[in-house]
Amino acid sequence: MEKSNYMVAVTSTYTKVETYLVEDETKEDALYIVENQNQNPKYKCTLWNETESDGEFDEPIAVEVSFEKTEDGKDHYWKEVGDKNDNWN
C-alpha cells in the first residue's frame, strides 16, 4: 500500500455539566446570573462542581492531501487530491 499525507477530521460529542452556587438571589435571578453573569464579581456565584461525560466519537474522515506551491511560488498550502477520499463536508 502506497503512503501519502492525510487530513483526518474526528468529531466527538460530550456533555459538560457545571453546577454553580448562587447566594442570596431569587430563582429567576440565579438562573440569569449563571447563564449570563457567572464571572461578574457583583454576584456571589461560585462554580461548585464540573463534570464531563466520556466522548462519543463519530467515524473519522480521511482526505488525501498534497503540499502545493501557489502559482507565484511564494506560498504553500495543502490541496485535496485523490479519488477515494471520504466525504469531507
Side-chain angles (χ1 to χ4, degrees):
M1 181 173 277
E2 188 175 326
K3 292 186 177 185
S4 189
N5 300 307
Y6 293 89
M7 294 280 186
V8 178
V10 177
T11 302
S12 62
T13 305
Y14 65 93
T15 301
K16 180 178 180 178
V17 178
E18 298 174 334
T19 303
Y20 290 87
L21 170 63
V22 181
E23 298 179 59
D24 200 30
E25 298 291 343
T26 66
K27 180 180 178 180
E28 292 78 17
D29 287 344
L31 291 168
Y32 173 80
I33 291 165
V34 167
E35 291 177 348
N36 302 290
Q37 299 287 321
N38 63 42
Q39 298 296 313
N40 190 332
K42 176 181 172 183
Y43 303 107
K44 291 183 180 180
C45 181
T46 306
L47 179 60
W48 194 259
N49 189 25
E50 183 176 23
T51 59
E52 260 182 37
S53 67
D54 292 336
E56 295 180 23
F57 296 92
D58 294 340
E59 188 70 29
I61 297 171
V63 175
E64 186 177 7
V65 293
S66 173
F67 196 60
E68 304 283 333
K69 284 185 182 180
T70 56
E71 289 184 21
D72 62 11
K74 295 181 181 179
D75 209 359
H76 295 81
Y77 64 97
W78 288 100
K79 177 182 177 183
E80 184 177 329
V81 297
D83 57 354
K84 295 183 179 178
N85 286 335
D86 296 338
N87 187 5
W88 187 254
N89 292 325

Coordinates of all heavy atoms in Angstrom, one line a residue:
M1 N 0.8 -1.2 0.0 CA 0.0 0.0 0.0 C 0.9 1.2 0.0 O 1.8 1.4 0.8 CB -0.9 0.0 1.2 CG -1.8 1.2 1.3 SD -3.0 1.1 2.6 CE -4.3 0.1 1.8
E2 N 0.6 2.2 -0.9 CA 1.4 3.4 -1.0 C 1.0 4.4 0.1 O -0.1 4.6 0.4 CB 1.1 4.0 -2.4 CG 2.0 5.2 -2.7 CD 1.7 5.7 -4.2 OE1 1.4 4.8 -5.0 OE2 1.8 6.9 -4.4
K3 N 2.1 5.0 0.7 CA 1.9 6.0 1.7 C 1.6 7.4 1.1 O 2.1 7.7 0.0 CB 3.1 6.1 2.6 CG 3.2 4.8 3.5 CD 4.3 4.9 4.5 CE 4.4 3.7 5.3 NZ 5.4 3.9 6.4
S4 N 0.9 8.2 1.9 CA 0.6 9.6 1.4 C 0.3 10.4 2.6 O 0.5 10.0 3.8 CB -0.7 9.5 0.5 OG -0.8 10.8 -0.1
N5 N -0.1 11.7 2.4 CA -0.5 12.6 3.5 C -2.0 12.7 3.6 O -2.7 12.7 2.6 CB 0.1 14.0 3.2 CG 1.6 14.0 3.1 OD1 2.3 13.5 4.0 ND2 2.1 14.5 2.0
Y6 N -2.5 12.8 4.8 CA -4.0 12.8 5.0 C -4.3 13.8 6.1 O -3.7 14.0 7.1 CB -4.5 11.5 5.5 CG -4.4 10.4 4.4 CD1 -3.2 9.6 4.3 CD2 -5.4 10.2 3.5 CE1 -3.1 8.7 3.3 CE2 -5.3 9.3 2.5 CZ -4.1 8.5 2.4 OH -4.0 7.6 1.4
M7 N -5.4 14.6 5.8 CA -6.1 15.4 6.8 C -7.2 14.5 7.4 O -8.0 13.9 6.6 CB -6.7 16.6 6.2 CG -5.8 17.6 5.7 SD -5.1 18.6 7.0 CE -4.2 19.8 6.1
V8 N -7.3 14.3 8.7 CA -8.3 13.4 9.3 C -9.1 14.3 10.3 O -8.5 14.9 11.2 CB -7.6 12.2 10.0 CG1 -8.7 11.4 10.7 CG2 -6.8 11.4 9.0
A9 N -10.4 14.3 10.1 CA -11.3 15.0 11.0 C -12.0 14.0 11.9 O -12.5 13.0 11.5 CB -12.4 15.8 10.2
V10 N -11.9 14.3 13.2 CA -12.6 13.5 14.2 C -13.6 14.3 14.9 O -13.3 15.4 15.5 CB -11.6 12.9 15.2 CG1 -12.3 12.1 16.3 CG2 -10.5 12.1 14.6
T11 N -14.9 13.9 14.9 CA -16.0 14.6 15.6 C -16.3 13.8 16.8 O -16.6 12.6 16.8 CB -17.2 14.7 14.6 OG1 -16.8 15.3 13.4 CG2 -18.3 15.4 15.3
S12 N -16.4 14.6 18.0 CA -16.8 14.0 19.2 C -17.9 14.8 19.9 O -18.0 16.0 19.7 CB -15.6 13.9 20.2 OG -15.1 15.1 20.5
T13 N -18.7 14.1 20.6 CA -19.8 14.8 21.3 C -19.7 14.4 22.8 O -19.6 13.2 23.1 CB -21.2 14.3 20.7 OG1 -21.2 14.6 19.3 CG2 -22.3 15.1 21.4
Y14 N -19.8 15.3 23.7 CA -19.8 15.0 25.1 C -20.7 16.0 25.8 O -21.1 17.0 25.3 CB -18.4 15.0 25.7 CG -17.8 16.4 25.7 CD1 -17.8 17.2 26.7 CD2 -17.1 16.8 24.5 CE1 -17.2 18.5 26.7 CE2 -16.5 18.1 24.5 CZ -16.6 18.9 25.6 OH -16.0 20.1 25.6
T15 N -21.1 15.6 27.1 CA -21.9 16.5 27.9 C -21.1 17.1 29.0 O -20.4 16.3 29.7 CB -23.1 15.7 28.5 OG1 -23.8 15.2 27.4 CG2 -24.0 16.6 29.3
K16 N -21.1 18.4 29.2 CA -20.4 19.0 30.3 C -21.5 19.6 31.2 O -22.4 20.3 30.8 CB -19.5 20.1 29.7 CG -18.8 20.9 30.8 CD -17.9 21.9 30.1 CE -17.1 22.7 31.1 NZ -16.2 23.7 30.5
V17 N -21.4 19.3 32.5 CA -22.3 19.8 33.5 C -21.6 20.7 34.5 O -20.6 20.2 35.1 CB -23.1 18.7 34.2 CG1 -24.0 19.2 35.3 CG2 -23.8 17.8 33.2
E18 N -22.0 21.9 34.6 CA -21.4 22.9 35.6 C -22.5 23.2 36.6 O -23.6 23.6 36.2 CB -20.9 24.2 34.9 CG -19.9 24.0 33.9 CD -19.5 25.2 33.1 OE1 -20.4 26.1 33.0 OE2 -18.4 25.3 32.7
T19 N -22.2 23.0 37.9 CA -23.1 23.4 39.0 C -22.5 24.6 39.7 O -21.4 24.5 40.1 CB -23.3 22.2 39.9 OG1 -23.7 21.0 39.2 CG2 -24.3 22.5 41.0
Y20 N -23.4 25.6 39.8 CA -23.0 26.8 40.5 C -23.8 27.0 41.8 O -24.9 26.7 41.8 CB -23.2 28.0 39.6 CG -22.3 28.1 38.4 CD1 -22.6 27.5 37.2 CD2 -21.2 28.9 38.5 CE1 -21.8 27.6 36.1 CE2 -20.3 29.0 37.4 CZ -20.6 28.3 36.2 OH -19.8 28.4 35.1
L21 N -23.1 27.6 42.8 CA -23.8 28.1 44.0 C -24.0 29.6 43.8 O -23.1 30.3 43.7 CB -23.0 27.8 45.2 CG -23.5 28.4 46.5 CD1 -24.8 27.9 46.9 CD2 -22.5 28.2 47.6
V22 N -25.3 30.0 43.8 CA -25.6 31.4 43.7 C -26.3 31.8 45.0 O -27.3 31.2 45.4 CB -26.6 31.7 42.5 CG1 -26.9 33.2 42.4 CG2 -26.0 31.2 41.2
E23 N -25.7 32.7 45.7 CA -26.1 33.1 47.1 C -27.0 34.4 47.1 O -26.7 35.3 46.4 CB -24.9 33.3 48.0 CG -24.1 32.0 48.2 CD -22.9 32.2 49.1 OE1 -23.1 32.6 50.2 OE2 -21.8 32.1 48.6
D24 N -28.0 34.3 47.9 CA -28.9 35.5 48.2 C -29.5 36.1 46.9 O -29.5 37.3 46.7 CB -28.0 36.5 48.9 CG -28.9 37.5 49.7 OD1 -30.0 37.1 50.1 OD2 -28.5 38.7 49.9
E25 N -30.1 35.3 46.1 CA -30.8 35.8 44.9 C -32.1 35.0 44.7 O -32.3 33.9 45.3 CB -29.9 35.5 43.6 CG -28.6 36.2 43.6 CD -28.7 37.8 43.5 OE1 -29.8 38.2 43.0 OE2 -27.7 38.4 43.7
T26 N -33.1 35.5 43.9 CA -34.3 34.8 43.6 C -33.9 33.7 42.6 O -32.8 33.7 42.0 CB -35.3 35.8 42.9 OG1 -34.8 36.2 41.6 CG2 -35.7 36.9 43.8
K27 N -34.8 32.8 42.4 CA -34.6 31.7 41.5 C -34.4 32.2 40.1 O -33.4 31.8 39.4 CB -35.8 30.7 41.5 CG -35.6 29.6 40.5 CD -36.9 28.6 40.6 CE -36.8 27.5 39.6 NZ -37.9 26.6 39.7
E28 N -35.2 33.2 39.6 CA -35.1 33.7 38.3 C -33.8 34.5 38.1 O -33.1 34.3 37.1 CB -36.3 34.7 38.0 CG -37.6 34.0 37.9 CD -38.2 33.6 39.2 OE1 -37.8 34.1 40.3 OE2 -39.1 32.8 39.2
D29 N -33.4 35.2 39.1 CA -32.1 35.9 39.1 C -30.9 35.0 39.1 O -29.9 35.2 38.4 CB -32.0 36.9 40.2 CG -32.8 38.2 40.1 OD1 -33.3 38.4 38.9 OD2 -33.1 38.9 41.1
A30 N -31.0 33.9 39.9 CA -29.9 32.9 39.9 C -29.7 32.3 38.5 O -28.6 32.1 38.1 CB -30.3 31.8 41.0
L31 N -30.8 31.9 37.9 CA -30.7 31.4 36.5 C -30.1 32.3 35.6 O -29.2 32.0 34.8 CB -32.1 31.0 36.0 CG -32.8 29.8 36.7 CD1 -34.2 29.6 36.3 CD2 -32.0 28.5 36.4
Y32 N -30.5 33.6 35.6 CA -29.9 34.6 34.7 C -28.4 34.8 35.0 O -27.6 34.9 34.1 CB -30.6 36.0 34.9 CG -30.0 37.1 34.2 CD1 -30.2 37.2 32.8 CD2 -29.1 38.0 34.8 CE1 -29.5 38.3 32.1 CE2 -28.4 39.0 34.1 CZ -28.7 39.1 32.8 OH -28.0 40.1 32.1
I33 N -28.1 34.9 36.3 CA -26.7 35.1 36.7 C -25.8 34.0 36.2 O -24.7 34.2 35.6 CB -26.5 35.2 38.2 CG1 -27.2 36.6 38.7 CG2 -25.1 35.2 38.7 CD1 -27.5 36.7 40.2
V34 N -26.2 32.7 36.4 CA -25.4 31.6 35.9 C -25.2 31.6 34.4 O -24.1 31.3 33.9 CB -26.0 30.3 36.4 CG1 -25.4 29.1 35.7 CG2 -25.9 30.2 37.9
E35 N -26.3 31.9 33.7 CA -26.2 31.9 32.2 C -25.5 33.0 31.6 O -24.9 32.9 30.6 CB -27.6 31.8 31.7 CG -28.3 30.5 31.9 CD -29.8 30.4 31.4 OE1 -30.3 31.5 31.0 OE2 -30.3 29.3 31.4
N36 N -25.5 34.2 32.3 CA -25.0 35.4 31.7 C -24.0 36.2 32.5 O -23.3 37.0 31.9 CB -26.2 36.4 31.4 CG -27.2 35.7 30.5 OD1 -27.0 35.5 29.3 ND2 -28.4 35.4 31.1
Q37 N -23.9 36.0 33.8 CA -23.1 36.9 34.6 C -22.2 36.1 35.6 O -21.8 36.6 36.6 CB -23.9 37.8 35.4 CG -24.8 38.8 34.6 CD -24.0 39.8 33.9 OE1 -23.0 40.4 34.5 NE2 -24.3 40.2 32.7
N38 N -21.9 34.8 35.3 CA -21.2 34.0 36.3 C -19.8 34.4 36.7 O -19.2 34.0 37.7 CB -21.3 32.5 36.0 CG -20.6 32.2 34.7 OD1 -19.5 32.7 34.4 ND2 -21.2 31.3 33.9
Q39 N -19.2 35.3 35.9 CA -17.9 35.8 36.2 C -17.9 37.2 36.8 O -16.9 37.8 37.2 CB -17.0 35.8 34.9 CG -16.8 34.5 34.3 CD -16.0 33.6 35.2 OE1 -15.0 33.9 35.8 NE2 -16.5 32.3 35.4
N40 N -19.1 37.8 36.9 CA -19.2 39.1 37.5 C -19.0 39.1 39.0 O -19.8 38.5 39.7 CB -20.6 39.7 37.1 CG -20.8 41.1 37.4 OD1 -20.1 41.7 38.3 ND2 -21.7 41.8 36.7
P41 N -18.1 39.9 39.5 CA -17.8 39.9 40.9 C -18.9 40.6 41.7 O -18.9 40.4 43.0 CB -16.5 40.7 41.0 CG -16.4 41.5 39.8 CD -17.1 40.7 38.7
K42 N -19.9 41.2 41.1 CA -21.0 41.8 41.8 C -21.9 40.7 42.4 O -22.6 41.0 43.4 CB -21.8 42.6 40.7 CG -23.1 43.2 41.2 CD -23.8 43.9 40.1 CE -25.2 44.4 40.6 NZ -25.9 45.1 39.5
Y43 N -21.9 39.5 41.9 CA -22.7 38.4 42.4 C -21.9 37.3 43.1 O -20.7 37.1 42.8 CB -23.5 37.8 41.3 CG -24.3 38.7 40.5 CD1 -24.0 39.1 39.2 CD2 -25.5 39.3 41.0 CE1 -24.7 40.0 38.5 CE2 -26.2 40.2 40.3 CZ -25.9 40.6 39.0 OH -26.6 41.5 38.3
K44 N -22.5 36.7 44.1 CA -21.9 35.6 44.8 C -22.3 34.3 44.0 O -23.3 33.6 44.3 CB -22.4 35.4 46.2 CG -21.9 36.5 47.1 CD -22.4 36.3 48.5 CE -21.9 37.4 49.5 NZ -22.4 37.1 50.9
C45 N -21.5 34.0 43.0 CA -21.7 32.9 42.1 C -20.4 32.1 42.0 O -19.4 32.6 41.5 CB -22.1 33.4 40.7 SG -22.5 32.1 39.5
T46 N -20.5 30.9 42.5 CA -19.3 30.1 42.6 C -19.5 28.7 41.9 O -20.5 28.1 42.1 CB -19.0 29.7 44.1 OG1 -18.9 30.9 44.9 CG2 -17.7 29.0 44.3
L47 N -18.5 28.4 41.0 CA -18.5 27.1 40.4 C -18.3 26.1 41.4 O -17.3 26.0 42.1 CB -17.5 27.0 39.3 CG -17.4 25.7 38.5 CD1 -18.7 25.4 37.8 CD2 -16.2 25.7 37.6
W48 N -19.3 25.2 41.7 CA -19.3 24.3 42.7 C -18.8 22.9 42.3 O -18.0 22.2 43.0 CB -20.7 24.1 43.3 CG -20.8 23.4 44.6 CD1 -21.1 22.1 44.9 CD2 -20.4 24.0 45.9 NE1 -21.0 21.9 46.2 CE2 -20.6 23.0 46.9 CE3 -20.0 25.3 46.3 CZ2 -20.4 23.2 48.2 CZ3 -19.8 25.5 47.6 CH2 -19.9 24.5 48.6
N49 N -19.2 22.5 41.1 CA -18.8 21.2 40.6 C -18.9 21.2 39.0 O -19.7 21.9 38.5 CB -19.8 20.1 41.1 CG -19.3 18.7 40.8 OD1 -18.1 18.5 40.6 ND2 -20.3 17.8 40.7
E50 N -18.0 20.5 38.4 CA -17.9 20.4 37.0 C -17.6 19.0 36.6 O -16.7 18.4 37.1 CB -16.8 21.3 36.5 CG -16.7 21.4 35.0 CD -15.7 22.5 34.6 OE1 -14.8 22.8 35.4 OE2 -15.8 23.0 33.5
T51 N -18.5 18.4 35.7 CA -18.2 17.0 35.2 C -18.4 17.0 33.7 O -19.1 17.8 33.1 CB -19.3 16.1 35.8 OG1 -20.6 16.5 35.5 CG2 -19.2 16.0 37.3
E52 N -17.7 16.1 33.1 CA -17.8 15.8 31.6 C -18.0 14.4 31.4 O -17.3 13.5 32.0 CB -16.4 16.3 31.0 CG -16.5 17.6 30.3 CD -15.2 17.9 29.7 OE1 -14.5 17.1 29.1 OE2 -14.8 19.1 29.7
S53 N -18.9 14.1 30.5 CA -19.1 12.7 30.1 C -18.0 12.2 29.2 O -17.3 13.1 28.6 CB -20.4 12.5 29.4 OG -20.4 13.1 28.2
D54 N -17.8 10.9 29.1 CA -16.8 10.4 28.0 C -17.4 10.8 26.7 O -18.6 10.8 26.5 CB -16.7 8.9 28.2 CG -16.0 8.5 29.4 OD1 -15.3 9.3 30.0 OD2 -16.2 7.3 29.9
G55 N -16.5 11.1 25.8 CA -16.9 11.5 24.4 C -17.4 10.3 23.6 O -17.0 9.2 23.8
E56 N -18.4 10.6 22.8 CA -18.8 9.7 21.8 C -18.3 10.1 20.4 O -18.4 11.3 20.0 CB -20.4 9.7 21.7 CG -21.0 9.1 23.0 CD -22.6 9.2 22.8 OE1 -23.1 9.1 21.7 OE2 -23.2 9.2 23.9
F57 N -17.6 9.3 19.8 CA -16.8 9.6 18.6 C -17.5 9.1 17.3 O -17.9 7.9 17.3 CB -15.4 9.1 18.6 CG -14.6 9.8 19.7 CD1 -14.5 9.2 21.0 CD2 -14.0 11.0 19.5 CE1 -13.8 9.8 22.0 CE2 -13.2 11.6 20.5 CZ -13.2 11.0 21.8
D58 N -17.7 10.0 16.3 CA -18.2 9.5 15.0 C -17.0 8.9 14.3 O -15.8 9.1 14.6 CB -18.8 10.7 14.3 CG -20.0 11.3 14.9 OD1 -20.6 10.6 15.7 OD2 -20.4 12.4 14.6
E59 N -17.3 8.3 13.2 CA -16.3 7.7 12.3 C -15.4 8.8 11.8 O -15.8 9.8 11.3 CB -17.0 6.9 11.2 CG -16.0 6.1 10.4 CD -15.5 4.9 11.1 OE1 -16.2 4.3 12.0 OE2 -14.4 4.4 10.8
P60 N -14.1 8.6 11.9 CA -13.1 9.6 11.4 C -13.2 9.7 9.9 O -13.6 8.7 9.2 CB -11.8 9.2 11.8 CG -11.9 8.0 12.7 CD -13.3 7.5 12.6
I61 N -12.9 10.9 9.4 CA -13.0 11.1 7.9 C -11.6 11.5 7.5 O -10.9 12.3 8.1 CB -13.9 12.3 7.6 CG1 -15.3 12.0 8.0 CG2 -13.8 12.7 6.1 CD1 -16.3 13.1 7.9
A62 N -11.1 10.8 6.5 CA -9.7 11.0 6.0 C -9.8 11.5 4.6 O -10.5 11.0 3.7 CB -8.9 9.7 6.0
V63 N -8.9 12.5 4.3 CA -8.8 13.1 3.0 C -7.4 13.1 2.6 O -6.5 13.7 3.3 CB -9.4 14.5 2.9 CG1 -9.2 15.1 1.6 CG2 -10.9 14.4 3.3
E64 N -7.0 12.6 1.5 CA -5.6 12.6 1.0 C -5.3 14.0 0.5 O -6.1 14.6 -0.2 CB -5.4 11.6 -0.2 CG -4.0 11.5 -0.6 CD -3.8 10.5 -1.7 OE1 -4.8 9.9 -2.2 OE2 -2.6 10.2 -2.0
V65 N -4.1 14.5 0.9 CA -3.7 15.9 0.6 C -2.3 15.9 0.1 O -1.5 15.0 0.3 CB -3.9 16.8 1.8 CG1 -5.3 17.0 2.2 CG2 -3.0 16.3 3.0
S66 N -2.0 16.9 -0.6 CA -0.6 17.2 -1.2 C -0.2 18.6 -0.8 O -1.0 19.5 -0.9 CB -0.7 17.0 -2.7 OG 0.6 17.3 -3.3
F67 N 1.1 18.8 -0.4 CA 1.6 20.1 -0.1 C 2.0 20.8 -1.4 O 2.9 20.3 -2.1 CB 2.8 19.9 0.8 CG 3.1 21.2 1.6 CD1 2.2 21.9 2.4 CD2 4.4 21.7 1.4 CE1 2.6 23.0 3.1 CE2 4.8 22.9 2.1 CZ 3.8 23.5 2.9
E68 N 1.3 21.9 -1.8 CA 1.5 22.5 -3.0 C 2.0 24.0 -2.9 O 1.8 24.6 -1.8 CB 0.2 22.6 -3.8 CG -0.5 21.2 -4.0 CD 0.1 20.4 -5.1 OE1 0.7 21.0 -6.0 OE2 0.0 19.2 -5.0
K69 N 2.7 24.5 -4.0 CA 3.1 25.9 -4.0 C 2.0 26.6 -4.8 O 1.4 26.1 -5.7 CB 4.4 26.0 -4.8 CG 5.6 25.6 -4.0 CD 6.8 26.0 -4.9 CE 8.1 25.6 -4.1 NZ 9.3 25.9 -4.9
T70 N 1.8 27.9 -4.4 CA 0.9 28.8 -5.2 C 1.6 29.0 -6.5 O 2.8 28.8 -6.7 CB 0.7 30.1 -4.5 OG1 1.9 30.7 -4.2 CG2 -0.1 29.9 -3.2
E71 N 0.9 29.5 -7.5 CA 1.4 29.8 -8.8 C 2.6 30.7 -8.8 O 3.5 30.6 -9.6 CB 0.3 30.3 -9.8 CG -0.7 29.3 -10.1 CD -1.7 29.8 -11.1 OE1 -1.5 30.8 -11.8 OE2 -2.8 29.2 -11.2
D72 N 2.6 31.7 -7.9 CA 3.7 32.6 -7.8 C 4.9 32.1 -7.1 O 5.9 32.7 -7.0 CB 3.3 34.0 -7.3 CG 2.7 33.9 -5.8 OD1 2.9 32.8 -5.2 OD2 2.2 34.9 -5.4
G73 N 4.7 30.9 -6.5 CA 5.8 30.2 -5.7 C 6.1 30.8 -4.4 O 7.1 30.4 -3.7
K74 N 5.3 31.8 -3.9 CA 5.6 32.5 -2.7 C 5.0 31.9 -1.5 O 5.3 32.2 -0.3 CB 5.2 34.0 -2.8 CG 6.0 34.8 -3.8 CD 5.5 36.2 -3.8 CE 6.2 37.0 -4.9 NZ 5.8 38.4 -4.9
D75 N 4.0 31.0 -1.7 CA 3.3 30.5 -0.5 C 3.0 29.0 -0.8 O 3.1 28.5 -1.9 CB 1.9 31.2 -0.3 CG 1.5 31.2 1.1 OD1 2.1 30.6 1.9 OD2 0.4 31.8 1.3
H76 N 2.6 28.3 0.3 CA 2.3 26.8 0.2 C 1.0 26.6 0.8 O 0.5 27.3 1.7 CB 3.4 26.0 0.9 CG 4.7 26.1 0.3 ND1 5.6 27.2 0.5 CD2 5.4 25.3 -0.6 CE1 6.7 27.0 -0.2 NE2 6.6 25.9 -0.8
Y77 N 0.3 25.5 0.5 CA -1.0 25.1 1.0 C -1.2 23.6 0.8 O -0.5 22.9 0.1 CB -2.1 25.9 0.4 CG -2.3 25.6 -1.1 CD1 -3.2 24.7 -1.6 CD2 -1.5 26.2 -2.1 CE1 -3.4 24.4 -2.9 CE2 -1.6 26.0 -3.4 CZ -2.6 25.1 -3.8 OH -2.7 24.8 -5.2
W78 N -2.1 23.0 1.6 CA -2.5 21.6 1.5 C -3.7 21.5 0.5 O -4.7 22.2 0.7 CB -2.9 21.0 2.8 CG -1.7 20.9 3.7 CD1 -1.3 21.7 4.7 CD2 -0.8 19.8 3.7 NE1 -0.2 21.2 5.3 CE2 0.2 20.0 4.7 CE3 -0.6 18.7 2.9 CZ2 1.3 19.2 4.9 CZ3 0.5 17.8 3.1 CH2 1.4 18.1 4.1
K79 N -3.5 20.7 -0.5 CA -4.6 20.6 -1.6 C -5.1 19.2 -1.5 O -4.4 18.2 -1.4 CB -4.0 20.8 -2.9 CG -4.9 20.6 -4.1 CD -4.2 20.8 -5.4 CE -5.2 20.5 -6.6 NZ -4.5 20.6 -7.8
E80 N -6.5 19.1 -1.5 CA -7.1 17.7 -1.5 C -6.8 17.1 -2.9 O -7.0 17.7 -3.9 CB -8.6 17.9 -1.3 CG -9.4 16.6 -1.2 CD -10.8 16.8 -1.0 OE1 -11.2 17.8 -0.3 OE2 -11.6 16.0 -1.4
V81 N -6.4 15.8 -2.8 CA -6.1 15.1 -4.0 C -6.7 13.7 -3.9 O -7.1 13.3 -2.8 CB -4.5 14.9 -4.3 CG1 -3.9 16.3 -4.5 CG2 -3.8 14.3 -3.1
G82 N -6.6 12.9 -4.9 CA -7.1 11.5 -4.8 C -8.6 11.4 -5.2 O -9.3 12.3 -5.0
D83 N -9.0 10.2 -5.6 CA -10.3 10.0 -6.0 C -11.1 9.1 -5.0 O -12.2 8.7 -5.2 CB -10.4 9.5 -7.4 CG -9.6 8.2 -7.6 OD1 -8.9 7.8 -6.6 OD2 -9.7 7.6 -8.7
K84 N -10.4 8.6 -3.9 CA -11.0 7.7 -3.0 C -11.2 8.4 -1.6 O -11.2 7.7 -0.6 CB -10.2 6.5 -2.8 CG -10.1 5.6 -4.1 CD -9.4 4.4 -3.9 CE -9.4 3.5 -5.2 NZ -8.6 2.3 -5.1
N85 N -11.3 9.7 -1.6 CA -11.5 10.4 -0.4 C -12.8 10.3 0.2 O -13.8 10.1 -0.5 CB -11.2 11.9 -0.6 CG -9.7 12.2 -0.8 OD1 -8.9 11.4 -0.3 ND2 -9.4 13.3 -1.4
D86 N -12.9 10.3 1.6 CA -14.2 10.3 2.3 C -14.8 11.7 2.0 O -14.2 12.6 1.6 CB -14.0 10.2 3.8 CG -13.4 8.8 4.2 OD1 -13.5 7.9 3.3 OD2 -12.8 8.7 5.2
N87 N -16.1 11.7 2.3 CA -16.9 13.0 2.2 C -16.4 13.9 3.3 O -16.7 13.7 4.5 CB -18.4 12.7 2.2 CG -19.2 14.0 2.0 OD1 -18.7 15.0 1.6 ND2 -20.5 13.8 2.1
W88 N -15.7 15.0 3.0 CA -15.1 15.9 3.9 C -16.1 16.8 4.6 O -16.1 17.0 5.8 CB -14.0 16.7 3.2 CG -13.2 17.6 4.1 CD1 -13.3 18.9 4.3 CD2 -12.2 17.1 5.0 NE1 -12.4 19.3 5.2 CE2 -11.7 18.3 5.7 CE3 -11.6 15.9 5.3 CZ2 -10.7 18.2 6.6 CZ3 -10.6 15.9 6.3 CH2 -10.1 17.0 6.9
N89 N -17.1 17.3 3.9 CA -18.1 18.2 4.5 C -19.4 17.6 4.7 O -20.0 16.9 4.0 CB -18.2 19.4 3.6 CG -16.9 20.3 3.6 OD1 -16.3 20.3 4.6 ND2 -16.6 20.8 2.5

